[in-house]
């Protein structure tokens, strides 16, 4: 089975702090994704990556950056956390690039920015 | 504008009945449509994928239909069980990305 792990289940940070969210997948998938999920807004794509050192902006990249130095690891960085970034963050990976099929999600990190 | 709509109200059904969830979309022409299950506080879990040239797909007690003319997918769970209680998300493929609906919460009562 595909396993996607995220570094923390719960995280509390202060406004202005730099925050790192780590995601690791063990199935040699080339494609990895970061989403945030908010009540009433659903899942929204922040960034994705089709290969090591490659990144593409999703629908809401502002305030975020990403890093993909190794195939299995995709990091989401909040350069200066703000309260409106309080959310559930979900990482996913997929074997398929074309068509964004069958994504496998991690357990999520619930981030609170105070 | 592009939109994916799922029943916003929770669906409550009795154990053993068939649950039917709806996903409608506008201004998309997806090659694939997928259904995911999400339990509270957890990440979504992939259930089924159906291609635009397929009318129906089955997996155990699950059945998905895809009508590209109506721009609608129906997701059925037959012989539902309390363990099927969760939020179900539909997602369609657009430009190499997945676009998710907001989900429908299903509650199966014993």
């Amino acid at each position: 089975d595909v396993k996607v792990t995220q570094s923390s289940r719960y995280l509390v940070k202060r406004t202005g702090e730099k925050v790192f969210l780590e995601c690791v997948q063990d199935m040699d998938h080339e494609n990895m994704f970061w989403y945030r999920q908010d009540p009433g807004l659903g899942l929204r794509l922040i960034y994705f990556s089709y290969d090591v050192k490659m990144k593409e902006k999703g629908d809401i990249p502002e305030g975020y950056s990403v890093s993909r130095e190794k195939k299995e690891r995709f990091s989401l960085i909040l350069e200066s956390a703000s309260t409106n970034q309080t959310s559930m963050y979900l990482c996913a990976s997929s074997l398929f690039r074309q068509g964004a099929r069958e994504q496998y999600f991690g357990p999520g990190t619930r981030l609170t920015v105070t | 504008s592009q939109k994916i709509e799922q029943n916003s109200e929770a669906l409550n059904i009795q154990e053993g009945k068939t649950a039917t969830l709806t996903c409608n979309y506008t201004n998309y022409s997806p090659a694939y449509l997928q259904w995911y299950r999400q339990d509270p506080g957890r990440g979504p879990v992939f259930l089924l994928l159906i291609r635009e040239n397929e009318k129906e797909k089955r997996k155990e007690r699950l059945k998905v239909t895809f009508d590209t003319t109506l721009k609608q997918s129906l997701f059925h769970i037959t012989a539902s069980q309390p363990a099927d209680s969760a939020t179900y998300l539909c997602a369609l493929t657009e430009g190499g990305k997945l676009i998710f609906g907001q989900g429908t919460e299903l509650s199966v009562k014993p």
Side-chain angles (χ1 to χ4, degrees):
Chain A
D1 283 348
V2 177
K3 192 162 186 190
V4 180
T5 57
Q6 294 183 230
S7 49
S8 306
R9 292 284 280 128
Y10 300 95
L11 209 52
V12 180
K13 295 292 181 181
R14 293 185 183 273
T15 302
E17 279 192 86
K18 191 169 185 176
V19 181
F20 293 87
L21 302 181
E22 304 281 339
C23 175
V24 177
Q25 51 94 4
D26 68 356
M27 282 304 291
D28 204 34
H29 287 174
E30 292 187 350
N31 312 296
M32 297 187 74
F33 308 83
W34 274 106
Y35 296 87
R36 64 178 283 177
Q37 186 173 31
D38 302 286
L41 297 175
L43 275 156
R44 294 180 291 167
L45 182 64
I46 305 171
Y47 266 97
F48 57 108
S49 169
Y50 289 147
D51 202 349
V52 175
K53 297 194 186 295
M54 291 185 66
K55 60 184 179 183
E56 301 272 353
K57 291 181 179 179
D59 300 317
I60 52 164
E62 297 77 20
Y64 304 94
S65 62
V66 290
S67 172
R68 191 149 181 220
E69 297 295 320
K70 293 184 177 181
K71 191 175 185 178
E72 68 271 17
R73 190 179 297 270
F74 192 33
S75 303
L76 180 69
I77 303 154
L78 286 65
E79 296 290 343
S80 178
S82 63
T83 54
N84 63 12
Q85 292 178 310
T86 291
S87 186
M88 170 70 102
Y89 288 88
L90 290 157
C91 174
S93 74
S94 176
L95 179 59
F96 303 97
R97 176 173 178 172
Q98 293 301 322
R101 296 159 51 185
E102 298 169 54
Q103 293 191 4
Y104 293 87
F105 284 82
T109 295
R110 186 163 294 281
L111 173 67
T112 301
V113 183
T114 61
Chain B
S1 63
Q2 297 172 315
K3 199 185 297 187
I4 304 175
E5 291 184 335
Q6 297 185 248
N7 322 54
S8 55
E9 291 184 13
L11 181 63
N12 298 301
I13 64 167
Q14 206 66 33
E15 183 176 6
K17 302 292 186 184
T18 295
T20 298
L21 285 68
T22 305
C23 177
N24 295 299
Y25 59 93
T26 57
N27 296 328
Y28 288 109
S29 297
Y32 308 97
L33 191 141
Q34 306 177 43
W35 284 88
Y36 289 77
R37 170 187 172 137
Q38 187 172 25
D39 293 287
R42 313 298 294 182
V45 175
F46 171 77
L47 295 175
L48 276 171
L49 176 148
I50 187 165
R51 294 173 173 77
E52 61 179 337
N53 61 352
E54 296 177 314
K55 297 289 186 190
E56 184 179 296
K57 197 86 168 272
R58 292 175 185 261
K59 179 183 176 183
E60 298 173 351
R61 295 185 295 112
L62 309 180
K63 184 177 87 171
V64 173
T65 63
F66 191 13
D67 189 324
T68 54
T69 302
L70 290 179
K71 294 186 180 293
Q72 181 182 77
S73 175
L74 298 179
F75 177 79
H76 307 271
I77 305 175
T78 58
S80 59
Q81 304 166 1
D84 296 325
S85 298
T87 296
Y88 291 86
L89 307 170
C90 76
L92 52 82
T93 304
E94 180 75 8
K97 300 183 293 185
L98 273 187
I99 312 296
F100 284 87
Q102 291 196 30
T104 298
E105 186 179 345
L106 172 66
S107 179
V108 181
K109 304 293 184 189

